[in-house]
Amino acid sequence: MNSIINKSIENSFSYDEYRTFVSDLAKQNKTTGHDQREDLIHYTQLNEARLHRLDKTLHVIDEVKSAIENISKEYIWLVLTESWCGDAAQILPVINKMADLSDKIDLKIVLRDDNEDLMNLFLTNGTKSIPKLIIIDNEMNEVINDFGPRPIGAKQLILDYKAAHGIVDETAKIELQKWYLQDKGISTQKEIVALMK
């Protein structure tokens, strides 16, 4: 496992590099991943606007800020993502804001489709769901926990919708984005901090 993680870390983006990359793709009518479908390009452009907004407006709550600032060990936060993923557009800026609070957290971002071996180690119910945050103790060089693809409240919303309608359609995606808007990243912050303990 370590060799797979280390290889992914070597080929990772910083958050700023990832943001520049996604922004450039959106302008060129392209997307990340191996599939350049029109709908995925559209989602990349939509997510670029979301990322931009959240980078400017998102705040880390005091209790989470305090917990992050008091971390004693060094960690790598390795995130699997793709630019077309709606959950990732809502969660990545939260992860970045949290990582920015401590020089003991080194945030690395990799693309799912280019890191299949890594993704296969962190499946969600057998699926390649993203985003996936892998929390690594840098000193011990071991994974202590992982988070994703979405916080509990958002997971429940999708499960309930699927139970009622049988599918996850555009209406479900709109409801999910509304949930994220109301939550303001707080659930993600609290859940990730809980995983650090």
Side-chain angles (χ1 to χ4, degrees):
M1 181 164 96
N2 284 353
S3 63
I4 293 170
I5 289 173
N6 290 338
K7 187 180 164 202
S8 295
I9 289 169
E10 282 171 25
N11 299 312
S12 65
F13 294 94
S14 70
Y15 186 74
D16 288 342
E17 288 166 345
Y18 177 77
R19 289 292 293 109
T20 301
F21 181 60
V22 171
S23 184
D24 290 346
L25 285 175
K27 287 174 194 160
Q28 297 165 26
N29 291 319
K30 292 181 181 175
T31 185
T32 61
H34 300 162
D35 195 350
Q36 294 292 315
R37 288 195 334 250
E38 200 174 307
D39 60 329
L40 299 181
I41 291 166
H42 168 72
Y43 286 129
T44 291
Q45 292 167 335
L46 196 60
N47 289 338
E48 167 55 23
R50 287 177 179 141
L51 288 162
H52 184 74
R53 177 179 55 80
L54 289 167
D55 285 338
K56 286 185 166 190
T57 61
L58 207 87
H59 296 287
V60 178
I61 61 172
D62 289 343
E63 68 184 82
V64 170
K65 189 175 180 185
S66 175
I68 295 286
E69 288 172 345
N70 288 303
I71 286 172
S72 56
K73 288 182 167 186
E74 292 192 355
Y75 296 94
I76 293 171
W77 283 7
L78 180 60
V79 181
L80 282 150
T81 191
E82 293 288 350
S83 65
W84 45 259
C85 176
D87 290 293
Q90 295 288 351
I91 291 171
L92 253 179
V94 178
I95 292 171
N96 177 59
K97 292 272 184 177
M98 291 172 72
D100 274 352
L101 294 171
S102 174
D103 58 5
K104 295 190 184 302
I105 299 172
D106 188 7
L107 176 58
K108 306 282 188 186
I109 298 167
V110 295
L111 300 176
R112 181 192 74 176
D113 290 2
D114 295 340
N115 293 272
E116 198 165 355
D117 289 346
L118 180 67
M119 184 73 254
N120 286 333
L121 295 173
F122 295 94
L123 300 176
T124 304
N125 302 321
T127 67
K128 297 178 181 181
S129 301
I130 52 173
K132 183 66 84 163
L133 165 63
I134 304 157
I135 302 169
I136 302 160
D137 181 321
N138 207 14
E139 194 179 308
M140 305 296 284
N141 196 25
E142 64 183 23
V143 174
I144 61 159
N145 230 320
D146 65 83
F147 167 86
R150 51 180 72 108
I152 293 163
K155 278 181 195 166
Q156 196 58 54
L157 182 144
I158 292 299
L159 286 172
D160 292 348
Y161 191 92
K162 206 170 180 181
H165 304 279
I167 56 164
V168 176
D169 56 12
E170 203 58 38
T171 304
K173 291 176 184 176
I174 290 166
E175 289 305 309
L176 182 60
Q177 292 304 320
K178 285 182 191 171
W179 184 93
Y180 279 118
L181 204 60
Q182 289 174 334
D183 184 71
K184 296 180 169 51
I186 292 169
S187 294
T188 298
Q189 293 174 40
K190 287 181 175 179
E191 288 180 35
I192 292 172
V193 159
L195 296 175
M196 300 286 290
K197 292 173 181 163

